[in-house]
Amino acid sequence: MRRGFVICCARMKKIVILDFGSQYTQVIARRVRECQVYSEILPYTTPVSALASGEIRGMILSGGPASVYASRAPHPDPGIFDLGVPVLGICYGMQLMAHHLGGRVASGAKREYGHGILDRAPGCALFSGLPRRLKVWNSHGDMLTRFPRGFRSVARTENSEHAAIEHRQKRLFGLQFHPEVHHTPRGREILENFVLRICGCERSWTMRSFIEAACAGIRNRVGHGNVILGLSGGVDSSVAAALLHRAIGRQLTCVFVNNGLLRKNEPEGVRQLFSRNFKVRLKCIDANRRFLEKLRGVVDPERKRKIIGHEFIRVFENAAAELRGTHQFLAQGTLYPDVIESISIGNNPAALIKSHHNVGGLPKRMKFKLVEPLRQLFKDEVRKVGEQLGLPREVVWRQPFPGPGLAVRCLGPVTPEKLRILRDADWVVIDEMKRSGWYYKVWQSFAVLLPVRSVGVMGDERTYDFTIAVRAVESQDAMTADWVRLPDDLISRISTRIINEVKGVNRVVYDVTSKPPGTIEWE
């Protein structure tokens, strides 16, 4: 994997999360940061020598899909339990702890998935200030049948006598349930107890402190070199541009590429917005025909992403060559969720879901060194950084837009006519969401053009036109999402306007799929 520049937080007191392939690993990191404590995810293969740092105040072992007894089950360096820092094992992480320290794990007679009731014993610091009975979220088939020497059981559920364990002297804790998910209502308080009370961390992770560290890190990385940044007008690239500009000023050149895959009026809007709000060197390139020619006849979404990523770099290399001076660095607004869905971090056994334009679509050989100042941030943290940097609300709170643009919302081959249909339909969705006040209430809302034609009747005439799917989801970090129950009258207005105003569409459907099992984008 090509790694871009990451803000160095080595001197900051932190909680380390060892990743064993859980879909919730990034959520754990985010919950720790909500405590205003810096968290860092490391692969489960990290040697204990790399963890013996005074900056690490505690460790969390994530869940994972494996069984501790499986032949290829991921196991950590057993020395982590002798480092003297508090350790919290969650689900598979708890089973690993018990297994390595002399306990016993076995396949449960009954699996526990979904909601459960936890009855806790008094005296455990993890549950300080919480009621004796708690609603929790389970997701496991194996369970602890005998805890290791020195441990005690501090909570149970209907099917598990040892749903939580602790070794008070060594400050080792295990939870069979998932405190990080929102389905465990008091889970955040459990994690706060671990991070703040047990590990003794201070609330020092703020976006103001991040900006200071990021600017210093960027200056150290770039030196007197020049940086080129693709500016799309979305939240991520805009915040990255503002952060880089604060750090290195005129050493930054922003390039806006019209690849023909943008939303309606996007090129004009970006130029107008940034001429008013930024004093940044801005170069605009019209590469519409170039991208569409490369995408002609391509159906597979992964090929689309790869083509767009490769062509994007080529356009940038040409732009850099035309600019006076040398541009050694390429900046991107890559975020944490982009990374976790695209690759398995450090031998993480989690499966690949899809590649992202920012991290999976770049060619192996390119002339630039990467600078990714937002790579360690979640979307909500990026928005806070944008606010701190003084960006306007319409930029900071703009809904996410995929790097490959409308290409991954136009299912099947991409053509100018299909893009015209999708662009017009998407504009109706955005307009109605803003008019109704729902735009800033949801994570994303957009239109998808399906490769499906159906018979319709319009003006007493038979039609055979395309179908538009409307998608609206609510989420906090894009790792999980639920479809939004928009008011019936709003859905009706969106549907009526699309059919009346967008030539080539005679049917509108509403997507009621959550993530998982689906993804937010259709491709």
Side-chain angles (χ1 to χ4, degrees), residues 17-26 41-45 62-65 72 74 339-341 343-352 479:
I17 299 137
L18 294 187
D19 187 7
F20 293 92
S22 171
Q23 62 177 317
Y24 300 127
T25 299
Q26 298 290 332
I41 295 174
L42 295 177
Y44 72 89
T45 52
S62 83
R72 295 187 178 181
V339 176
I340 194 61
E341 284 197 347
I343 49 102
S344 53
I345 296 179
N347 300 319
N348 182 333
L352 169 70
M479 297 303 297

Side-chain angles (χ1 to χ4, degrees), residues 210-495:
F210 169 80
I211 291 171
E212 293 174 359
C215 287
I218 291 167
R219 295 187 197 105
N220 182 61
R221 163 75 165 170
V222 172
H224 297 292
N226 293 317
V227 179
I228 188 170
L229 167 72
L231 184 61
S232 68
V235 180
D236 305 339
S237 68
S238 298
V239 173
L243 183 59
L244 285 158
H245 188 250
R246 172 171 290 195
I248 58 175
R250 298 285 292 176
Q251 291 171 252
L252 171 68
T253 298
C254 290
V255 176
F256 172 70
V257 178
N258 179 5
N259 59 9
L261 305 170
L262 303 175
R263 288 167 287 195
K264 189 172 184 177
N265 301 324
E266 189 85 358
E268 297 79 6
V270 169
R271 280 191 287 263
Q272 184 180 32
L273 175 64
F274 285 95
S275 64
R276 290 180 179 179
N277 292 280
F278 289 90
K279 295 180 180 179
V280 177
R281 296 170 64 188
L282 178 63
K283 181 179 178 66
C284 298
I285 299 174
D286 187 354
N288 189 321
R289 293 183 179 179
R290 179 171 174 170
F291 277 83
L292 295 187
E293 179 64 29
K294 293 288 185 180
L295 290 168
R296 179 181 296 178
V298 177
V299 175
D300 180 71
E302 282 300 296
R303 280 197 65 204
K304 288 181 184 178
R305 292 177 182 273
K306 298 292 185 182
I307 289 170
I308 293 167
H310 281 239
E311 200 62 21
F312 187 76
I313 292 300
R314 298 297 168 248
V315 170
F316 263 66
E317 288 178 342
N318 293 339
E322 295 172 4
L323 293 168
R324 291 183 178 180
T326 57
H327 288 73
Q328 304 96 329
F329 298 91
L330 169 66
Q332 292 195 139
T334 307
L335 306 188
Y336 238 173
D338 298 337
V339 176
I340 194 61
E341 284 197 347
S342 300
I343 49 102
S344 53
I345 296 179
N347 300 319
N348 182 333
L352 169 70
I353 298 171
K354 62 182 179 180
S355 67
H356 277 261
H357 172 64
N358 281 351
V359 292
L362 300 182
K364 293 181 180 180
R365 295 181 180 179
M366 64 178 187
K367 300 177 182 179
F368 300 109
K369 299 176 183 177
L370 282 181
V371 178
E372 297 175 309
L374 308 180
R375 189 184 179 97
Q376 291 178 309
L377 299 186
F378 295 99
K379 179 70 78 170
D380 62 317
E381 293 176 317
V382 173
R383 295 189 195 278
K384 291 175 183 177
V385 169
E387 289 177 331
Q388 290 283 337
L389 294 171
L391 290 173
R393 181 174 184 265
E394 61 267 26
V395 173
V396 173
W397 291 100
R398 192 175 194 181
Q399 292 180 1
F401 187 63
L406 297 179
V408 293
R409 294 178 180 174
C410 180
L411 276 60
V414 177
T415 67
E417 175 62 11
K418 290 170 69 177
L419 286 172
R420 191 273 306 168
I421 294 172
L422 178 56
R423 203 172 274 123
D424 288 348
D426 191 66
W427 188 88
V428 171
V429 174
I430 294 172
D431 187 53
E432 282 297 331
M433 291 293 286
K434 287 183 175 179
R435 286 171 182 260
S436 64
W438 274 88
Y439 182 83
Y440 294 111
K441 295 179 182 179
V442 304
W443 180 263
Q444 270 178 282
S445 53
F446 54 89
V448 179
L449 179 64
L450 306 186
V452 175
R453 277 193 164 105
S454 63
V455 174
V457 178
M458 300 177 71
D460 294 326
E461 294 184 357
R462 179 186 183 277
T463 62
Y464 191 62
D465 288 330
F466 284 105
T467 299
I468 287 289
V470 176
R471 178 86 158 134
V473 298
E474 53 188 359
S475 180
Q476 293 183 322
D477 48 30
M479 297 303 297
T480 60
D482 193 14
W483 64 278
V484 178
R485 281 70 172 168
L486 292 177
D488 292 347
D489 59 338
L490 175 56
I491 296 177
S492 178
R493 287 198 305 272
I494 291 173
S495 175

